[in-house]
Amino acid sequence: MTKKKILIATLFIILFVLGSLALYIFFKPHRSLDNETTITVTADTLMAAYTRDEVAANALYLDKALVVTGEIAEININQEGQTVVILKTGDPISGIVCTIKKNPAKSLQIGQPVLIKGFCSGFISDVVLRDCQIMSK
């Protein structure tokens, strides 16, 4: 075989492998909260863990399914049109930011106690939960 044929065959194999990997990642099933074991924690406890020692809190909570109990401090709509609920904590500046996967009932109100289930994405000045569901009001 000539060098040109070997180069073309190698390039074809690399493109095939990269394309297969991209398809695998694209069609990979997403994690569902319904199939996850959850950790139940209060908003105050979760925030205290992250402000005390972020590395230790990440070991406990990062990318895990959490059920967080707390009181609604704010309700907003983000740029994608999703409802974002912020739970009060003992820290007057920070809270637990929960992006709701499906829009909740319009009956959510500031000051209302709530249980929210979601995946912990870590701490950026607030603790962030993604793909959240309202469990109770």
Side-chain angles (χ1 to χ4, degrees), residues 33 38-47 50 61 64-72 85-89 95-98 112-120 127-130 132-136:
L33 284 170
T38 59
I39 300 169
T40 302
V41 64
T42 66
D44 286 328
T45 303
L46 184 59
M47 180 57 73
Y50 270 99
Y61 302 119
K64 304 249 173 54
L66 305 180
V67 174
V68 181
T69 60
E71 183 179 315
I72 297 175
V85 174
I86 300 175
L87 301 179
K88 286 184 186 177
T89 65
I96 310 299
V97 177
C98 310
Q112 174 183 2
V114 70
L115 245 101
I116 296 181
K117 185 177 184 181
F119 291 109
C120 181
V127 177
V128 179
L129 298 181
R130 62 179 164 72
C132 297
Q133 301 171 357
I134 303 292
M135 300 301 291
S136 69

Side-chain angles (χ1 to χ4, degrees), residues 24-72:
Y24 172 76
I25 291 170
F26 183 76
F27 289 108
K28 181 180 173 185
H30 297 284
R31 286 175 64 189
S32 170
L33 284 170
D34 299 330
N35 302 332
E36 296 282 333
T37 302
T38 59
I39 300 169
T40 302
V41 64
T42 66
D44 286 328
T45 303
L46 184 59
M47 180 57 73
Y50 270 99
T51 54
R52 185 174 42 252
D53 185 351
E54 187 175 350
V55 173
N58 277 338
L60 290 173
Y61 302 119
L62 186 63
D63 207 31
K64 304 249 173 54
L66 305 180
V67 174
V68 181
T69 60
E71 183 179 315
I72 297 175

